[in-house]
Amino acid sequence: MDLIARLAEIVGPTHVLTGAEAAGFGREWTCHYTWTPMAVVRPGTTAEVSALLQLAHETGTKVVPVGGNTGLNGGTFAEGALMISLSRLNRVREINPAARVVVAEAGVVLETLHDLAAQHDLAFPLTFGAKGSAMVGGFLSTNAGGSNVVRYGSARALCLGLEVVLADGRIWNGLTGLHKDNTGYDLRDLMIGAEGTLGIITAAVLKLTPAPTAYATALIGLPSLDDALTILNAVQKGSGGAVEAFEYMPDTYMERLAKAKPALACPFPPQPVNVLIETATTVPGADPVAQLEATLFEAMEQGRVTEAVVAHSTAQRRKLWEMRETAAEITFTTPDIVDCDIALPLDLLQSFLDRMTPRLMALDPQAGELVIGHLGDGNLHYTAYPSRSDAALGKAIRAAVNEEAMALNGSFSAEHGVGISKRATMAAHKDPVAVQMMAAIKAALDPKGILNPGKVLP
Amino acid sequence: MDLIARLAEIVGPTHVLTGAEAAGFGREWTCHYTWTPMAVVRPGTTAEVSALLQLAHETGTKVVPVGGNTGLNGGTFAEGALMISLSRLNRVREINPAARVVVAEAGVVLETLHDLAAQHDLAFPLTFGAKGSAMVGGFLSTNAGGSNVVRYGSARALCLGLEVVLADGRIWNGLTGLHKDNTGYDLRDLMIGAEGTLGIITAAVLKLTPAPTAYATALIGLPSLDDALTILNAVQKGSGGAVEAFEYMPDTYMERLAKAKPALACPFPPQPVNVLIETATTVPGADPVAQLEATLFEAMEQGRVTEAVVAHSTAQRRKLWEMRETAAEITFTTPDIVDCDIALPLDLLQSFLDRMTPRLMALDPQAGELVIGHLGDGNLHYTAYPSRSDAALGKAIRAAVNEEAMALNGSFSAEHGVGISKRATMAAHKDPVAVQMMAAIKAALDPKGILNPGKVLP
C-alpha cells in the first residue's frame, strides 16, 4: 500500500489533500516562501497525529506541522514533505475559571481563546496582529510575543502544560495545570519555541488572568531612549507593575504615518522618541488614568517627558492604538526592505541606534531607516530601506544589524523565531556551544530528523 | 600524575580537600544523607570549573556540584565522587538598576542578592527559609520556590540568562539579559531545575523588581479550601495582581502552634482553613490595607470568610509571619514523620484532603496529619505522623500521598526537586514518555554519565 493510502487509512480520505487541493498550503502568507508539499493531512485527534508520526518515522517521511500559517520565517516550508495541519484539533477540552486555566487543542485560534476567556471576565493576554488566524500549536511552537509581553510574558510564560506527539509517535502527556512541578527536566519549555523540530504540540494548558476593568493609555514624547527606560521604570513603580504595553514610535515613524494617514498624525510635534503607554487594572474604583498622569506630570517637571496626551475616552484610546497598529502598513512599503526583529538589553537600545545608523549610512548613504518596537521588552523591529534593489546590499545591511545587536549582547530574533530565514544567522552568531547542545538534543529526540527538517538548527 | 595532583594543578593545592578536610561536605544539612566524597575542589573561576570537568570527562570521574547545601532530597549525595563546591565563585559581576538585572556567580548567597538589590530600592523576590546559605547555582539548579512564588514565580521565572559548564568542560555562554530571545531551544530552562545532571551553572543573569513600599498582611479564617480559592481570586482582582503570599494553616496547625508557642496562638478561634495573605505595592500614596479590607469585608458578608485580622503595624505583620515561619519547628517533631511536598491544580486541594485523610486512617487509624502550604501555587506540604515507628508503614503512607496527588493530576514534588529520595517515585508516577525524553537528553548532553550521577532520573 502506498503512503497516501496509508495516510487515508489514518485520517480518512477526505482529510488527505494532494495536488491542487494541497496547493493552498504551499506558501507562507507573506508569499516570501512557496513550496509544493507531498501531501497535506488533517488529523482530528491526538491519536491520529500519533499514528501519522509512527508511519512517518517508519517510512522516513519528512513532516512539517502547520497551524494558522501566520509565521514570518519560512517555518512551515515543506517542499516534498508531508504537512500535518492541526486545524481540526480545535476543541477547547476544558475551561476552569476558578483555577484560571483553559485546556485547548493545537488548532484553537487565539481569538477564540480571547472570546472564551472574556465570557468568564477573564483574559488570555497573549495578543498580536495575527490573532484571528494564529493557533495554539503555532503560537507555542514559536513562543510568540506581541504587545502585552511586558506584563504577561511571551507564550512560554502563559503555558502550564503540554501534550506533545514525538517524532516516533509516542505521546508525552504533560498536560498538567500545576503552578509548581519540580519532577525532572523542563520538557515543556524545551518544546515551546522549538518550531516543531522536537515534537508536535497537540494540546496545552494555558493560564488565564483577570480581565482588566479600566485602562490608562497615553502617548508621550521624550528626548531619548534612555529617558524612555527611566519612564518605563517610573510607570511600573507608579502603577504597581501594571504596564501592559510600552510601544516605541520614533519621529521618523510619525512622519511616515502623518503622510500615509493624516487622521493618525501625531497629536503633538513628534519628539525623537514617542511611546504609547498603556496600564490596566482590575481594582474596583481604581483610577489608572489619574495614577498615570501623576507619574507623567513628575516626569515632565524633570524634563524627561516633553509631550504627553492621555486618552480620556475609548475612542481616543483606540486612535492611539491605531497609530501603532498601522506599523505593518507603514513599514512594508517596498519589496526591498531589510526588516529585522532584534532584542537588546533594556539599557542599550540607544547605544544600538547610535552604532547602527552610521553603519547603515556607510553601506548606503541614501538608505532610509525605520524603527518601532516593544520597548518594554527591549525588542526593536528595525527596518532599513536601501536606496537600490541590490541583494548583496540588503544582505550586508542585515549582517550589520545582527552584528551590532550581538555586539551589545542582544538577539537577532526577539520574537519571530528562526525558521529557515535565520539559519545562516544562527550559524554566524549563536553561541557555538548552544548550537552543539541544540543539535545533540535534536538528535536525541528526533534521530531520523523527520520533524520540520531544515529549520532552526544551522 | 594522580587525579588529586591534577586537580591541585587546576585550582591550587589549598582548594583540594580530602580526608578529614572533606568530611564536612559529606552530609546534607538535615543529616538524612551522609557520604564520603573522593575529594572536594573549590574552583575560583569558570575557567577552572571548565578545566575540572575536562579532566573528569577524560578520566570518567563522577562529579557532584554543591552550593549552600540546603537541599532536602540528597541532591548532593557524593559517595566516592568528586565534589565541586561553587562557594568561591561568589562575585556579583554586575548590577544594573536601570535594566533591573544582576549578574551573579553560582556561589553568591541569596541573602546577599536581597541586600544588594535593597541598596537600589529594588528586590530579588525569591525567598525561603534557607536564604542565608542557599546559593545562586543551587536555587537555580533546583528551581527553588518559597513564599513569593504566587507573584513572582519560581527561580526559573526570575532568570534571564545562564553561564553553564557542560560535562566535557565546554562553556555555554548564555549569559544574556534579554527579555525576548527566540533563537533556538530554551536551553536555559532546561538547565534550571536539572539538579546539576546536565551541566554546572557558574553564573546567571537575574531579574530585579521594584521593592514594595507598602504591605497589607492579614490572617483570615474560612470554612473550606474551595472558599480560599475564591478569596485568592478576589484578592488578586482587588489588588491588581499584587498578592505576594497566600499561605495555608489549617486548624490542626493552629492547635499545635498554640501548644508549642502560646504567644503565637491564632488571634481568633481557628477555622478549618486559615490563610496568611499578603499584598504589596510600589504605588506612591496607595493604601493596600484599605484595599485588602474592602475585599475581605465583601467576602465576610458573603460568608466565605468567617474571621479576619489585619496587621496595622510592622510588629503585627511580623507576628503573623512568625506563625507561618514556625512551621518547620512545629512539623519536624519526631523522626518518623512522612513529609511530602505535593502540588495540585488550584481547585483540587480540598478534593485531595477529602481523599487522603480516609486513606491515612485506613493505613493507620491513630496517625496524625498536618498540612501547611503555599496555597496560591497549589503547593501543599503534607505531613503524616504514623502512630508507630515502622518503615513499611511510612513507605505505604508516602505512596498513598503520591498516588492521591497523581490521581488528581498533581505532582509528587512541587518545589523540593527529586535528588535521590524521589527517584523511585519518578519511576512509579512520572509520565513514562517524559522519563524516556529525559534519559535521551541526559545521554545527549552527558554521554559518560559523570554529572551528579544517580540523581533525578529513575
Side-chain angles (χ1 to χ4, degrees):
Chain A
M1 190 158 51
D2 76 350
L3 188 66
I4 298 296
R6 293 180 72 183
L7 294 171
E9 272 201 338
I10 295 170
V11 297
T14 56
H15 296 302
V16 181
L17 313 180
T18 54
E21 275 189 332
F25 286 83
R27 59 171 181 272
E28 200 158 68
W29 68 276
T30 58
C31 296
H32 279 164
Y33 295 95
T34 59
W35 59 87
T36 304
M38 180 252 281
V40 179
V41 286
R42 297 185 300 201
T45 64
T46 301
E48 288 182 5
V49 176
S50 169
L52 288 169
L53 284 181
Q54 277 179 54
L55 177 59
H57 195 254
E58 177 201 321
T59 54
T61 304
K62 293 186 190 310
V63 161
V64 176
V66 61
N69 188 26
T70 68
L72 292 161
N73 292 313
T76 57
F77 180 85
E79 185 62 46
L82 175 64
M83 294 185 78
I84 298 186
S85 163
L86 281 306
S87 60
R88 286 181 62 231
L89 261 82
N90 61 355
R91 282 167 291 264
V92 173
R93 294 191 191 164
E94 184 195 341
I95 179 162
N96 185 331
R100 295 191 169 166
V101 293
V102 58
V103 185
E105 292 185 343
V108 173
V109 170
L110 177 54
E111 207 163 41
T112 304
L113 290 178
H114 292 167
D115 295 345
L116 186 66
Q119 290 170 23
H120 299 273
D121 287 330
L122 295 170
F124 181 65
L126 188 78
T127 190
F128 44 84
K131 64 187 175 190
S133 316
M135 294 174 184
V136 168
F139 73 63
L140 288 173
S141 289
T142 56
N143 187 31
S147 52
N148 285 349
V149 173
V150 65
R151 182 160 195 184
Y152 301 100
S154 296
R156 182 173 284 130
L158 296 168
C159 178
L160 292 173
L162 287 182
E163 178 186 84
V164 177
V165 180
L166 301 187
D168 58 6
R170 279 175 298 166
I171 300 170
W172 166 44
N173 178 5
L175 215 52
T176 68
L178 302 174
H179 290 260
K180 278 183 175 173
D181 185 14
N182 276 348
T183 59
Y185 304 159
D186 184 0
L187 303 172
R188 176 190 67 206
D189 289 330
L190 185 65
M191 287 293 166
I192 297 173
E195 303 187 23
T197 61
L198 298 179
I200 297 183
I201 294 170
T202 49
V205 184
L206 301 168
K207 280 193 245 182
L208 302 174
T209 57
T213 47
Y215 289 92
T217 312
L219 183 72
I220 62 172
L222 315 90
S224 77
L225 282 169
D226 291 341
D227 289 312
L229 179 57
T230 305
I231 299 310
L232 171 64
N233 288 340
V235 178
Q236 287 288 26
K237 191 177 164 71
S239 66
V243 175
E244 301 242 327
F246 200 81
E247 302 284 305
Y248 171 47
M249 293 170 281
D251 45 4
T252 45
Y253 177 80
M254 290 300 188
E255 284 153 21
R256 279 173 184 258
L257 185 65
K259 232 181 269 178
K261 306 254 172 178
L264 295 178
C266 187
F268 47 72
Q271 303 297 297
V273 173
N274 307 281
V275 175
L276 173 63
I277 304 179
E278 186 158 279
T279 66
T281 186
T282 60
V283 181
D287 187 350
V289 173
Q291 212 174 50
L292 180 58
E293 284 175 339
T295 304
L296 294 180
F297 184 77
E298 204 181 317
M300 290 184 89
E301 289 209 312
Q302 294 166 351
R304 291 188 181 279
V305 170
T306 44
E307 297 281 354
V309 166
V310 177
H312 283 280
S313 71
T314 307
Q316 285 173 349
R317 177 184 173 223
R318 237 0 287 144
K319 193 169 174 183
L320 293 181
W321 270 107
E322 266 177 59
M323 293 176 65
R324 173 62 181 84
E325 286 165 355
T326 309
E329 201 176 322
I330 300 294
T331 308
F332 294 88
T333 47
T334 74
D336 293 318
I337 64 166
V338 180
D339 56 320
C340 304
D341 165 43
I342 62 168
L344 293 155
L346 295 181
D347 57 328
L348 296 179
L349 298 164
Q350 188 66 55
S351 305
F352 170 79
L353 294 179
D354 292 346
R355 295 164 67 122
M356 187 58 220
T357 307
R359 275 204 71 173
L360 178 64
M361 291 302 108
L363 286 163
D364 179 0
Q366 271 79 51
E369 188 184 53
L370 187 62
V371 194
I372 54 157
H374 311 295
L375 218 53
D377 319 312
N379 180 188
L380 297 182
H381 296 306
Y382 178 96
T383 306
Y385 299 84
S387 62
R388 60 187 189 277
S389 185
D390 173 345
L393 175 61
K395 208 173 157 185
I397 293 171
R398 191 177 294 277
V401 173
N402 292 334
E403 273 170 38
E404 294 303 337
M406 296 310 289
L408 295 170
N409 221 351
S411 168
F412 54 86
S413 184
E415 60 177 8
H416 293 170
V418 177
I420 49 177
S421 72
K422 291 178 187 163
R423 283 176 72 205
T425 317
M426 283 287 277
H429 290 298
K430 184 79 177 175
D431 179 77
V433 175
V435 171
Q436 292 158 20
M437 291 165 75
M438 286 174 53
I441 292 167
K442 169 73 175 175
L445 296 182
D446 179 19
K448 290 192 175 180
I450 63 168
L451 284 176
N452 213 2
K455 313 296 161 56
V456 185
L457 290 150
Chain B
M1 190 159 48
D2 76 351
L3 190 64
I4 299 296
R6 292 180 72 183
L7 295 171
E9 272 200 338
I10 294 169
V11 296
T14 57
H15 297 302
V16 180
L17 313 181
T18 55
E21 277 190 328
F25 286 84
R27 59 171 182 271
E28 200 158 66
W29 69 276
T30 58
C31 295
H32 279 165
Y33 296 95
T34 58
W35 59 87
T36 305
M38 180 251 282
V40 179
V41 286
R42 298 186 299 201
T45 64
T46 301
E48 288 183 5
V49 177
S50 169
L52 289 169
L53 284 180
Q54 278 179 52
L55 176 59
H57 196 254
E58 178 201 319
T59 55
T61 304
K62 294 186 189 314
V63 162
V64 177
V66 61
N69 188 26
T70 68
L72 291 162
N73 293 312
T76 57
F77 180 86
E79 186 61 47
L82 175 65
M83 294 186 77
I84 299 186
S85 163
L86 281 306
S87 60
R88 286 180 63 230
L89 260 82
N90 61 356
R91 283 167 289 265
V92 172
R93 293 191 190 164
E94 184 194 342
I95 180 162
N96 185 331
R100 294 191 171 166
V101 292
V102 57
V103 185
E105 292 184 342
V108 173
V109 170
L110 177 52
E111 207 162 41
T112 305
L113 290 178
H114 292 167
D115 295 344
L116 187 65
Q119 289 169 24
H120 299 274
D121 287 329
L122 296 170
F124 180 66
L126 188 78
T127 190
F128 44 84
K131 65 187 174 189
S133 316
M135 294 174 185
V136 168
F139 72 63
L140 289 173
S141 290
T142 56
N143 187 31
S147 52
N148 285 350
V149 173
V150 64
R151 182 160 197 184
Y152 302 100
S154 297
R156 183 173 283 128
L158 296 168
C159 178
L160 293 173
L162 288 180
E163 178 187 85
V164 177
V165 179
L166 301 187
D168 58 4
R170 279 175 298 167
I171 300 169
W172 166 44
N173 178 5
L175 215 50
T176 67
L178 302 174
H179 291 261
K180 279 182 174 172
D181 185 14
N182 276 349
T183 58
Y185 303 160
D186 184 0
L187 303 172
R188 178 190 65 206
D189 289 330
L190 185 65
M191 287 292 164
I192 296 173
E195 304 188 24
T197 63
L198 298 179
I200 296 182
I201 294 171
T202 48
V205 184
L206 301 167
K207 280 194 244 183
L208 302 174
T209 57
T213 47
Y215 290 91
T217 312
L219 183 71
I220 62 172
L222 315 89
S224 77
L225 282 169
D226 291 340
D227 289 311
L229 179 57
T230 305
I231 300 308
L232 171 63
N233 288 339
V235 179
Q236 286 288 25
K237 192 177 163 73
S239 67
V243 176
E244 302 244 326
F246 199 81
E247 301 284 305
Y248 171 48
M249 291 170 282
D251 45 5
T252 45
Y253 177 81
M254 290 299 189
E255 284 153 22
R256 280 173 183 257
L257 186 64
K259 230 180 273 178
K261 305 254 172 180
L264 294 179
C266 189
F268 47 72
Q271 303 297 298
V273 173
N274 307 281
V275 175
L276 173 63
I277 304 179
E278 186 157 278
T279 65
T281 185
T282 60
V283 180
D287 186 350
V289 173
Q291 213 174 49
L292 180 58
E293 283 175 339
T295 305
L296 294 180
F297 184 76
E298 205 180 315
M300 290 185 91
E301 290 209 311
Q302 294 165 352
R304 291 188 181 279
V305 169
T306 44
E307 298 282 354
V309 167
V310 177
H312 283 280
S313 70
T314 307
Q316 286 173 349
R317 177 184 171 223
R318 235 6 281 150
K319 194 170 174 183
L320 294 180
W321 269 107
E322 267 177 55
M323 295 176 64
R324 172 63 181 84
E325 286 165 356
T326 309
E329 202 176 320
I330 300 292
T331 309
F332 294 88
T333 48
T334 76
D336 293 318
I337 65 167
V338 181
D339 56 318
C340 304
D341 165 43
I342 62 168
L344 293 154
L346 294 182
D347 57 329
L348 296 179
L349 298 164
Q350 188 66 54
S351 307
F352 170 79
L353 295 179
D354 291 346
R355 296 164 66 122
M356 187 58 220
T357 307
R359 276 204 71 174
L360 177 64
M361 291 302 108
L363 285 164
D364 180 359
Q366 272 77 51
E369 190 184 54
L370 187 61
V371 195
I372 53 158
H374 311 295
L375 219 53
D377 320 312
N379 180 188
L380 297 182
H381 296 307
Y382 178 96
T383 305
Y385 298 83
S387 62
R388 59 187 190 276
S389 183
D390 174 345
L393 175 62
K395 208 174 157 184
I397 294 172
R398 190 178 295 278
V401 173
N402 292 335
E403 272 169 41
E404 294 302 337
M406 296 311 290
L408 295 170
N409 221 352
S411 167
F412 53 86
S413 186
E415 59 176 10
H416 293 169
V418 178
I420 50 177
S421 72
K422 291 178 186 161
R423 284 176 71 207
T425 317
M426 284 287 280
H429 290 299
K430 185 80 178 175
D431 180 78
V433 175
V435 172
Q436 292 158 20
M437 291 164 74
M438 285 173 53
I441 292 166
K442 169 73 175 175
L445 295 183
D446 179 18
K448 291 192 174 180
I450 62 168
L451 282 176
N452 214 2
K455 313 296 162 55
V456 185
L457 291 151

